[in-house]
Amino acid sequence: DAGITQSPRYKITETGRQVTLMCHQTWSHSYMFWYRQDLGHGLRLIYYSAAADITDKGEVPDGYVVSRSKTENFPLTLESATRSQTSVYFCASSRNNIQYFGAGTRLSVL
Amino acid sequence: KQEVTQIPAALSVPEGENLVLNCSFTDSAIYNLQWFRQDPGKGLTSLLLIQSSQREQTSGRLNASLDKSSGRSTLYIAASQPGDSATYLCAAPSGAGSYQLTFGKGTKLSVIP
């Protein structure tokens, strides 16, 4: 089916480990985004990308790395996971100013 | 820096009631505003996008309005149903011409049968 697919849906890891969250879209939208959602903070932008090989920091980029070698993929990597990165992560793409969200990845860092 | 506020944080209404959800934003130099719905454990679904040139946008029982001069938007839900129970979030561009969105923390709506 067309849309945005995030994987894995659930992930448990330990502090200090590297974790990569995957995001794939089938629409070829230029803009893609990574958010985290936490109780009390709402949705916060981590990184975004305007096109392949163009990425920029959002509100809370520390501890995260992104890449976008192909238009359809926008992986998010936690270089050395910390407990404070326990959260629900959402990927989104945008066309005509409307953002379309994936189902999310629930990450727990123990 | 754009700030988006939604009040109340939670709302409970009996089925069939009409209701209004409120959203306020601090930077009125925006070209649109979006309303989203989020069901528990799910991603966000875009409900309505209002362009700054519009005053209102309608989709079925939903009607959203935008008043840039006062920094406010409202989402009106007519004849509420239990299936409308969800969290509703509004989002405004983070700055003039920005593709980034700043989200409110949402209003959790419960429609009681």
Side-chain angles (χ1 to χ4, degrees):
Chain A
D1 289 339
I4 292 189
T5 305
Q6 292 186 238
S7 61
R9 291 294 317 279
Y10 304 91
K11 177 74 176 178
I12 300 173
T13 191
E14 296 176 342
T15 55
R17 299 221 177 202
Q18 184 180 80
V19 177
T20 296
L21 309 184
M22 305 301 293
C23 179
H24 173 80
Q25 54 125 339
T26 60
W27 293 305
S28 298
H29 292 167
S30 295
Y31 277 86
M32 295 189 75
F33 307 84
W34 273 107
Y35 296 91
R36 60 178 290 174
Q37 186 174 38
D38 305 285
L39 281 174
H41 289 282
L43 272 162
R44 292 180 291 175
L45 182 66
I46 304 171
Y47 269 96
Y48 67 102
S49 169
D53 297 321
I54 301 175
T55 62
D56 208 347
K57 296 178 181 178
E59 181 184 355
V60 288
D62 293 344
Y64 303 95
V65 175
V66 294
S67 62
R68 195 163 175 210
S69 58
K70 293 183 178 181
T71 299
E72 61 266 31
N73 296 323
F74 191 36
L76 175 74
T77 297
L78 288 67
E79 295 184 294
S80 178
T82 65
R83 290 200 179 94
S84 66
Q85 292 177 311
T86 292
S87 186
V88 181
Y89 292 85
F90 289 102
C91 177
S93 69
S94 177
R95 180 174 181 270
N96 293 335
N97 296 315
I98 297 174
Q99 289 200 11
Y100 300 88
F101 281 74
T105 294
R106 184 173 295 273
L107 176 68
S108 296
V109 183
L110 305 179
Chain B
K1 178 186 174 186
Q2 181 73 275
E3 294 181 4
V4 178
T5 303
Q6 293 185 250
I7 296 174
L11 181 64
S12 183
V13 300
E15 181 178 2
E17 222 176 72
N18 302 325
L19 60 102
V20 174
L21 305 180
N22 296 297
C23 172
S24 61
F25 48 92
T26 55
D27 185 352
S28 61
I30 60 173
Y31 50 88
N32 60 49
L33 183 137
Q34 290 185 64
W35 283 91
F36 293 85
R37 169 183 173 140
Q38 185 176 27
D39 293 290
K42 301 289 178 72
L44 281 69
T45 300
S46 180
L47 295 173
L48 289 165
L49 171 72
I50 317 173
Q51 303 290 353
S52 58
S53 57
Q54 301 172 303
R55 292 293 301 269
E56 294 186 355
Q57 184 72 271
T58 298
S59 176
R61 293 182 294 107
L62 306 181
N63 176 277
S65 66
L66 174 61
D67 184 346
K68 286 180 56 176
S69 62
S70 67
R72 296 185 183 213
S73 177
T74 61
L75 179 67
Y76 174 84
I77 303 178
S80 58
Q81 304 171 358
D84 294 331
S85 298
T87 296
Y88 293 81
L89 298 97
C90 71
S94 300
S98 174
Y99 280 88
Q100 302 175 56
L101 293 179
T102 298
F103 284 81
K105 294 182 180 178
T107 295
K108 185 175 182 180
L109 174 66
S110 298
V111 180
I112 311 302

